[in-house]
Amino acid sequence: MANQVTIDDVVQLAEIESAQIFTSQDTPQHLLEVIGQRSGFNWELHIGIPEILISDDYWPYRVVEVKKGSDWPKNAGHGPVIPKTTLFHTVTRLGKKGIEVIGSNKTITLNIHQ
């Protein structure tokens, strides 16, 4: 029987270190900055926005990592240190109070005064 790959094998929540929001005084746009940590060189980070709003107060922005290649060989050791990654994303959806950034290790709530 062949190995079956599931969505959990190629997409997972990523660790996040920090998140902050920048607001332009000239336009109503907001820029989200997230510092995250990949699991390895074969993963890349993305910010995902679900279509369904669970709470009216904060719109969830999930930081996920997507596998882009094969696994690190099991007998290869730990390998090089993976640097942190800084992501930028234009905020397109807001809850009544702001957004929340969701990672595997924590959730960061950011209030945005409109």
Side-chain angles (χ1 to χ4, degrees):
M1 180 176 218
N3 278 345
Q4 290 188 340
V5 177
T6 67
I7 191 75
D8 294 332
D9 296 326
V10 294
V11 178
Q12 62 189 13
L13 284 173
E15 272 193 31
I16 56 175
E17 182 177 296
S18 65
Q20 56 184 333
I21 198 99
F22 299 98
T23 303
S24 170
Q25 294 180 2
D26 299 329
T27 66
Q29 290 193 348
H30 307 284
L31 183 66
L32 173 62
E33 177 192 71
V34 177
I35 298 176
Q37 181 70 47
R38 296 179 291 153
S39 295
F41 283 107
N42 56 333
W43 293 86
E44 57 186 30
L45 294 182
H46 297 277
I47 297 176
I49 310 164
E51 293 296 321
I52 299 171
L53 183 61
I54 297 168
S55 161
D56 286 343
D57 290 335
Y58 296 97
W59 199 282
Y61 283 71
R62 292 189 180 111
V63 181
V64 296
E65 45 182 0
V66 179
K67 189 174 277 192
K68 63 180 182 177
S70 61
D71 285 330
W72 190 263
K74 297 201 184 310
N75 59 353
H78 294 295
V81 174
I82 308 298
K84 290 181 174 59
T85 302
T86 302
L87 299 170
F88 293 97
H89 186 83
T90 301
V91 173
T92 55
R93 297 193 176 163
L94 298 170
K96 289 179 184 174
K97 295 182 180 178
I99 66 171
E100 61 184 5
V101 180
I102 302 168
S104 64
N105 58 328
K106 61 181 153 184
T107 298
I108 300 171
T109 302
L110 300 169
N111 291 313
I112 300 173
H113 303 290
Q114 299 184 45

